[in-house]
Structure formats: C-alpha cells, structure tokens
Amino acid sequence: MKVTLNRTTFLEELGTVQRAISGKTTIPILTGVKVTLTESGLTLTGSNADISIETFLSVEDEKANMLIESTGSIVIQARFFNEIIKKLPESTLTLELIENNQVIITSGKALFNVNGLNSENYPHLPVVDNTTSLQLPARVLNKLIGETVFAVSMQESRPILTGVHLTLQENILLAVATDSHRLSQRKIELHDIEQSFDVVIPGKSLQELSRSFKDEEELVQISIMDNQILFKTETMNFYSRLLEGNYPDTNRLIPTKFNTEICFNVTQLLAAIDRASLLSHEGRNNIVKLSIDSDQVTIYGNSPEIGNVEESLSYIEVSGDPITISFNPDYMKDSLKSFGNIDVVINFISPIRPFTLEPKNKDIDFIQLITPVRTN
C-alpha cells in the first residue's frame, strides 16, 4: 500500500472517524483507525461499542490530490496518528505500508515509522438492510437533533432515557427526549413516506453524528435493523447501536389546559435568565423565580452567600391568572437556546405543575416541558 495525498483533506477525514474511537475499549484493535486503499480511493474506519464511522475519499476528489501507487489496508493507533499528521511540515504526505505491518509516513524532510496492526483482525461493520429507510437533508436532521438531544438523561440508572425516541408513522417524524425533569418534543411532517419505525438512539451518538456532517444540504439516508441504525451520506457511513427497551409514553405528560399564558422574545428572555442565574449558580440551590401578573413580570435570582438580583422583564403579551413559579435556570436556558431567535409562548397551570414552551408560530410543531422546583 502506498499513497500520496493532501494533508489537510486527509486530516479532515481522520478527524471525522476519530469521533468513534475510544482509548478505553477492551478490544485493543479498536483504539486504531483502519486505513483501506483501493483503486477508487481511501476508506477510513473508526469504531467503539456504540458507534462506527466510515468515510470515503475518492481518487477523483480534486482537493485530495491523491496518487495511488499500490493498494492494501492496515490499522494504525489513532492517538498518535492524528498528532503526527497534524504536525507534518508540508501540505502533502505519503503513507507506505512495508513488511511486518509497519507504516512509513513522510512529508518533506520528516519521516515517521509507526507500528500498525493487521486489518484482518478488525471487526466487520454491521450489515444494515435498506428496506426500512428514508432520506432527509442533513440540515433537517441537525435541527431535529439540536432541538431534542439536550434533554436526554445523563444518568445510566434508566438507560432508555439516555436516548432520543425517534418514530415515523403516517408521514409524521417525531423526536422526543426527556430526563424526567424536562421534555422536548419535535414533529416534522414528511410526504409520500411509506415506511414506519420506532427506535431509541443514544444521545451521545446523535451529538457525534451532528458534528460529522460537512454539508448542511447533503442528503442523509437513514436505514434501520434490529439493533443498529445507519446514517449514510455520499462520503460517510455512520452506524449507531440502538437502545433496547420501551420508551415511556410521554404524550400523556403534555398538558392541554392552562391558567396563565405569556409570550416573550427568546433572545431577551434568555439574556435575563442568564443574568438572574449568575447569583443562583453560586448558591446551594440553583433556582430562579418568575413572578407574573397582569401588569408586571419580574425575575429573581438569589444566593444567601452573595446577594440577590431582581429584574422587570419585557414581554409581548400576557393573559390569565397571576403566578409565581421557581425553576432550574439551566433547564430553561437549554430550552430557549433550542428555539433560536423567535417569539415563544409559555403556558402555566400552577406553581407545582410542569409548564410548556412553544413557538408563537403555530406552523412549527415543537413543544418543551419543564418541571418547576418546589420552594417553601
């Protein structure tokens, strides 16, 4: 195996597959990146227990400027490989596999000789059937992930809640995430889709997937098997295991009747909560309080050790009963950030019942639920 190519282009592909490589794996060969060179181009593969990423760099890609002299494959320790490629002196590099699984990496006057591992011992990637599949632009998929993944649980005590529940039924793609303190649900209407599915994808997998797309407009084909899901673009295959178990019925958690409704601009409200939480973060109880009545809306932050903050809020409109409610400001900030700079409607029932956030624009089917904090 011998190939010469552009260092920056190669480093970009290497960075993508490294998202799937962990130094803590119990399978030593998975600490490496698999490099496979064929007549048509270069394939890089990285994998761990949860995700596998495979990228393809075509010999016809002008940016790669690839010259293939001989084909072959090898596994190279990822940690050192990436650092070596980053620090090479020239814009091009040459990889050459010699005897005893050794790889010579040269660029300008620099020459590295690194030990590789036999690629025959690298685990095979899952075979995913294309029968249950749909296509979405990366932009839509990224938005769906950004609007839900922040609400997954970080606690392994209920593993199913560490994932995003993704279902497709009757042309409605539904994504739900909850950690039992907050919930985020996004619906997208698709057209002429005959397939249906019901899966739970680890939140960490989706975060890495979102970072791996190079072009927002590229199409992503989603294919599903019993315990695996594949996100496929023209140059990348991203595999993730699926979480086993039944996701809770979250639909019944979302209230439909409310006593107080208020509309804010997201950016203004986010800034105010950020200010109020400056002091609450320093206290033992990370709580911000919101007080609403017909002519005054006030937010309070308090830390017995440092002091308190109080601010009158600008709002667009308010209706219903007066209410004072306490909540975790971090949950609220995460929620508001996922909306972007739009107007949002917040609905309350009582100081101890969960409240909802929705876009004022009813064409966007996106709802979030936050459980308030009980205070004496």
Side-chain angles (χ1 to χ4, degrees), residues 30-93:
L30 290 184
T31 60
V33 56
K34 183 181 177 184
V35 182
T36 305
L37 189 64
T38 63
E39 303 279 344
S40 56
L42 186 70
T43 300
L44 299 179
T45 309
S47 184
N48 62 29
D50 292 322
I51 62 174
S52 301
I53 305 175
E54 185 177 71
T55 68
F56 178 68
L57 195 54
S58 171
V59 69
E60 295 173 6
D61 188 325
E62 290 182 7
K63 287 191 297 181
N65 197 18
M66 198 183 308
L67 175 64
I68 299 170
E69 293 184 46
S70 59
T71 60
S73 66
I74 190 70
V75 177
I76 304 172
Q77 281 295 327
R79 186 172 142 228
F80 297 109
F81 195 26
N82 196 47
E83 288 304 309
I84 289 169
I85 303 301
K86 265 186 197 171
K87 292 173 181 175
L88 290 174
E90 300 292 337
S91 61
T92 60
L93 68 106

Side-chain angles (χ1 to χ4, degrees), residues 84-199:
I84 289 169
I85 303 301
K86 265 186 197 171
K87 292 173 181 175
L88 290 174
E90 300 292 337
S91 61
T92 60
L93 68 106
T94 299
L95 296 176
E96 183 179 7
L97 176 61
I98 59 173
E99 68 272 359
N100 299 324
N101 293 323
Q102 290 189 308
V103 180
I104 305 293
I105 305 167
T106 53
S107 177
K109 294 179 180 178
L111 184 151
F112 288 83
N113 186 339
V114 299
N115 296 323
L117 297 165
N118 190 328
S119 62
E120 295 290 319
N121 299 324
Y122 198 86
H124 293 289
L125 293 181
V127 177
V128 176
D129 191 354
N130 286 338
T131 51
T132 306
S133 68
L134 78 148
Q135 281 193 331
L136 288 176
R139 168 180 45 79
V140 173
L141 195 53
N142 259 345
K143 192 156 176 53
L144 198 69
I145 293 168
E147 289 168 339
T148 54
V149 77
F150 66 89
V152 302
S153 175
M154 296 294 124
Q155 307 300 320
E156 292 292 338
S157 53
R158 291 188 69 189
I160 199 76
L161 296 187
T162 63
V164 174
H165 189 203
L166 195 66
T167 59
L168 175 61
Q169 287 179 327
E170 298 176 350
N171 286 330
I172 299 293
L173 184 65
L174 173 67
V176 181
T178 182
D179 62 3
S180 76
H181 300 291
R182 55 181 167 171
L183 177 147
S184 185
Q185 174 182 287
R186 179 70 157 107
K187 284 183 187 175
I188 297 176
E189 189 172 349
L190 305 175
H191 299 285
D192 303 321
I193 305 290
E194 294 178 4
Q195 290 84 2
S196 64
F197 57 73
D198 184 332
V199 296

Side-chain angles (χ1 to χ4, degrees), residues 327-348:
F327 54 84
N328 180 318
D330 295 336
Y331 289 172
M332 195 69 156
K333 286 191 287 186
D334 286 344
S335 175
L336 292 169
K337 284 173 187 172
S338 69
F339 284 103
N341 186 18
I342 61 171
D343 295 337
V344 66
V345 175
I346 308 178
N347 282 297
F348 303 93

